[in-house]
Every structure is written in structure tokens, then in C-alpha cells.
Amino acid sequence: MPRPGLSVLRGVRRTFLGTAARIYLTGCALLLGWAIVTASDETMAAVVPLFATAPSSIVLLFLLPEADTTFLLSILLGALVNAMVIGWCARVLRRGNNPDPAS
């Protein structure tokens, strides 16, 4: 009988391997790269990736302790949380009325 921890990790891996989650993570990475390249004191380019990863990143921005990397870390973790939700939703919608053989 498989251990419960392994099935959870297997489910997370399948969630991130979905096409929708990969496209979302790629888009977030491109937006973050663009914001880093074009950011200066006068622009608000850093807000665009924050809104692209909302609501998770905004919640994390308030929950994480204040540091130099809090803004970047909240965007990265927010993108991962949102990608998991997107992948899970895509998997549930793809499954339809058929039960998942992994659960």
C-alpha cells in the first residue's frame, strides 16, 4: 500500500505538469522578467506581476515578514499557489464524471 505522503506529492507533480499551469507559470515568469528589466524609480512595472499573481501574492505580501526580498518572494509563491489551483481545476474539469484512478 503506498504511503499517503507519496500520493500527495504525486498529485502536486501532476498538477504542475498540466498545460494550463505551465502556460500560467511561463506568463508570470515573462512578466516578472519584463518588470525587472524595465523597472526604475519612476515606473510602476513591478505592480504588473503582482496583479498577475493576485490574490495569492497580495495575501503573502501582507503575511511574510518585511525584508528586501518580500516583494519578489510573494510574487514567486503566489504564482506557484495559483498554478496549483489552475492545474487542479483543469484536472477536475478534464475528468468530468469519471472518477480519478489515483484517488
Side-chain angles (χ1 to χ4, degrees):
M1 183 160 89
R3 295 183 297 199
L6 290 177
S7 64
V8 170
L9 291 175
R10 193 174 298 124
V12 169
R13 188 188 73 211
R14 275 187 299 173
T15 299
F16 281 126
L17 291 179
T19 305
R22 280 195 219 167
I23 291 171
Y24 176 75
L25 285 175
T26 303
C28 288
L30 290 173
L31 281 175
L32 185 60
W34 169 78
I36 289 171
V37 168
T38 61
S40 67
D41 292 338
E42 298 87 31
T43 65
M44 302 246 335
V47 176
V48 174
L50 184 70
F51 285 144
T53 58
S56 300
S57 61
I58 294 174
V59 170
L60 289 169
L61 189 62
F62 290 115
L63 292 179
L64 292 174
E66 191 170 334
D68 293 337
T69 59
T70 300
F71 191 75
L72 182 63
L73 189 62
S74 68
I75 291 173
L76 294 175
L77 291 176
L80 289 175
V81 168
N82 288 347
M84 281 184 58
V85 170
I86 289 169
W88 177 78
C89 288
R91 195 172 82 188
V92 167
L93 289 173
R94 192 174 339 133
R95 182 175 59 195
N97 291 332
N98 302 329
D100 190 5
S103 51

